[in-house]
Amino acid sequence: MMRGRAAGGSASDGVRVLVGAAALLLAGALTGCESAGQKAMESTADQMSVCARDASAVELPAAFPSKAALPDGYVVTHVESRAGGRVVVTAVSPKPFRATLTDMQATYARNGWSLSEGEVEADDAESNFSGNGLKGRWAIRAMDACRGNTAVSLVTGRAG
């Protein structure tokens, strides 16, 4: 259940908007393009994100590689399977932006991933990762609506 949604909207409407926003953000991140439309979607995603304390966790698919799992304590809020074996994951970290960044970098490096083409700004960061027969990209963003929490999105797919 999504709490704190806009008046008149249902929980499922909010989740759909968040998922759509996250998917568009990740799609743009994977192509290396950034536009005003993507920045607007990031703002929408931040506004629709649920705080970690209010998030309802969903399970990762059984086939999801354990080495691509998010750090402990993060709440996975949505998983979507895509063509070509890609999986899009939306989550929330109960930690501030800088601590989440450190977690993501350390966890992926420790699990055998090579991080590349990353970028860190004041309140958002992203990085490609590859290894373990897969490739992907993660993106994190400080959540204005949930101080001390960080929105996390990632997409994985087969390498090659």
Side-chain angles (χ1 to χ4, degrees):
M1 181 169 109
M2 185 171 176
R3 296 183 188 138
R5 63 186 179 271
S10 72
S12 61
D13 290 342
V15 170
R16 279 198 251 350
V17 169
L18 176 59
V19 170
L24 286 173
L25 174 63
L26 283 170
L30 285 172
T31 62
C33 298
E34 186 170 297
S35 68
Q38 289 170 336
K39 285 294 185 187
M41 292 309 297
E42 288 176 13
S43 297
T44 300
D46 184 56
Q47 293 167 11
M48 296 304 299
S49 296
V50 61
C51 299
R53 71 179 176 276
D54 298 329
S56 295
V58 299
E59 295 291 324
L60 289 169
F64 192 82
S66 62
K67 290 186 180 264
L70 293 167
D72 290 338
Y74 290 27
V75 182
V76 175
T77 57
H78 183 79
V79 177
E80 186 175 335
S81 295
R82 296 281 181 90
R86 291 177 297 139
V87 177
V88 177
V89 176
T90 305
V92 61
S93 163
K95 298 179 180 182
F97 172 76
R98 288 287 169 188
T100 299
L101 176 60
T102 298
D103 276 357
M104 293 294 289
Q105 291 170 331
T107 297
Y108 279 72
R110 182 175 51 248
N111 287 339
W113 301 98
S114 295
L115 301 177
S116 64
E117 299 179 41
E119 179 180 59
V120 178
E121 296 180 8
D123 63 357
D124 65 72
E126 58 272 339
S127 180
N128 291 343
F129 58 90
S130 61
N132 302 305
L134 298 170
K135 64 180 180 178
R137 185 164 182 86
W138 55 256
I140 63 173
R141 182 168 176 81
M143 296 172 63
D144 294 336
C146 299
R147 293 273 180 224
N149 285 200
T150 305
V152 179
S153 300
L154 72 94
V155 60
T156 63
R158 292 183 291 264

